[in-house]
Amino acid sequence: MTDSLALPDHDWPRLDPGWVWLCGAGPGDPGLLTLHALNALRQADVIVYDALVEPAILDWAPAAERIYAGKRGGKPSAKQRDISLRLVDLARAGRRVLRLKGGDPFVFGRGGEEAQTLLAQGIPVRIIPGISAGIGGLAYAGIPVTHRDVNQSVTFVTGHDQSGDSPSSLDWHAISRGSQVIVIYMAMKHIARIAAALRDAGRPGDEPCAVVVSATTPAQTVLETTLDALAADIAAAGLEPPAIVCVGGTVPMRRVLDWQALAAPASLHTA
């Protein structure tokens, strides 16, 4: 596989021993990797990767050591501090370290925390952005996060805080008033509470909502519903994380922009 994706001639950055590159792997589809990410995979001798990194992406670095550091809600997971310190230890051992994270490392990905620890310990880093699921995952479902005929604002929020509970710091009234479209990461555990908070903040019960599960992968599933029915429909469909929830007027655009249903066989990414 690696030989078939040779990078064109370019002054590509070199991953030197003792460095850590924090890299976004995108929402799932390996084709959504950036060229900088592919360059990193070709050079790393150790990859510390998250639960949402597609296995096929790791195949582009067949000689590298792989260290799993996935964090999934409600399941046994490595502590964030332990992950950060492991990166420090690997770099100090002279390894070429690639920290591979699903989506974008700086969008609800704890990449900022890891970079802070590394830099505080004198470890040089490079940040490689990735396509976030809140944008790329919705695009694969045929839902634009912005459309000039529909919305001029979009807000990205997380469905849980450091404790695993729904974020108490979020001002749902301000978010509801100020944003026409709301994209919620990691919302499934507290979806009933989040939907109630949005209704209490003035969002209409019949507002269109979509849930995109396993976005951009062959297992992608899309549920279209309303804010009133959101929690019940998720439960009835048996949907589980990873998922992105979109609330707002761009959701119905899927009726004309579901490009996978229009252009691909029904066996690909059905909804």
Side-chain angles (χ1 to χ4, degrees):
M1 180 180 291
T2 56
D3 291 340
S4 66
L5 287 172
L7 289 169
D9 290 337
H10 184 74
D11 186 19
W12 296 103
R14 187 174 68 184
L15 175 51
D16 288 320
W19 278 69
V20 177
W21 286 10
L22 293 165
C23 178
D29 184 346
L32 297 179
L33 283 175
T34 65
L35 290 179
H36 277 308
L38 183 56
N39 177 48
L41 285 161
R42 296 296 178 78
Q43 298 184 71
D45 54 38
V46 58
I47 300 173
V48 182
Y49 66 99
D50 279 351
L52 298 182
V53 174
E54 280 292 300
I57 291 173
L58 298 174
D59 290 342
W60 285 334
E65 179 187 356
R66 302 177 183 181
I67 299 175
Y68 177 75
K71 295 178 72 63
R72 297 294 299 275
K75 298 180 180 180
S77 302
K79 292 184 171 60
Q80 184 59 55
R81 177 171 174 78
D82 292 340
I83 296 172
S84 298
L85 293 179
R86 183 72 179 276
L87 296 173
V88 172
D89 290 342
L90 290 167
R92 285 180 173 166
R95 308 295 295 276
R96 297 177 177 87
V97 185
L98 175 59
R99 175 66 169 115
L100 198 57
K101 306 175 77 67
D104 181 278
F106 278 8
V107 180
F108 303 122
R110 302 187 181 95
E113 299 171 45
E114 293 175 5
Q116 278 183 295
T117 299
L118 289 162
L119 292 170
Q121 296 296 319
I123 305 299
V125 304
R126 182 182 184 92
I127 308 300
I128 301 176
I131 296 175
S132 179
I135 297 174
L138 291 176
Y140 265 50
I143 301 171
V145 292
T146 66
H147 188 292
R148 67 177 185 169
D149 293 334
V150 177
N151 67 312
Q152 291 72 49
S153 63
V154 58
T155 296
F156 299 91
V157 302
T158 178
H160 67 73
D161 58 20
Q162 290 178 325
S163 71
D165 203 352
S166 57
S168 58
S169 62
L170 287 179
D171 186 337
W172 290 110
H173 284 82
I175 292 170
S176 295
R177 289 194 306 269
S179 188
Q180 294 151 302
V181 171
I182 303 169
V183 179
I184 313 170
Y185 292 69
M186 298 170 284
M188 300 290 269
K189 181 179 179 181
H190 304 298
I191 193 62
R193 191 182 307 176
I194 291 169
L198 287 171
R199 290 195 302 271
D200 290 345
R203 306 292 288 211
D206 62 353
E207 185 166 26
C209 298
V211 183
V212 185
V213 177
S214 300
T216 80
T217 74
Q220 176 176 298
T221 301
V222 183
L223 169 70
E224 292 184 66
T225 181
T226 64
L227 190 57
D228 272 344
L230 180 58
D233 283 353
I234 288 173
L239 301 183
E240 296 183 352
I244 288 288
V245 176
C246 183
V247 178
T250 59
V251 170
M253 297 298 299
R254 186 169 186 266
R255 297 168 192 166
V256 294
L257 295 178
D258 186 6
W259 57 273
Q260 294 196 77
L262 294 170
S267 61
L268 295 178
H269 301 349
T270 57

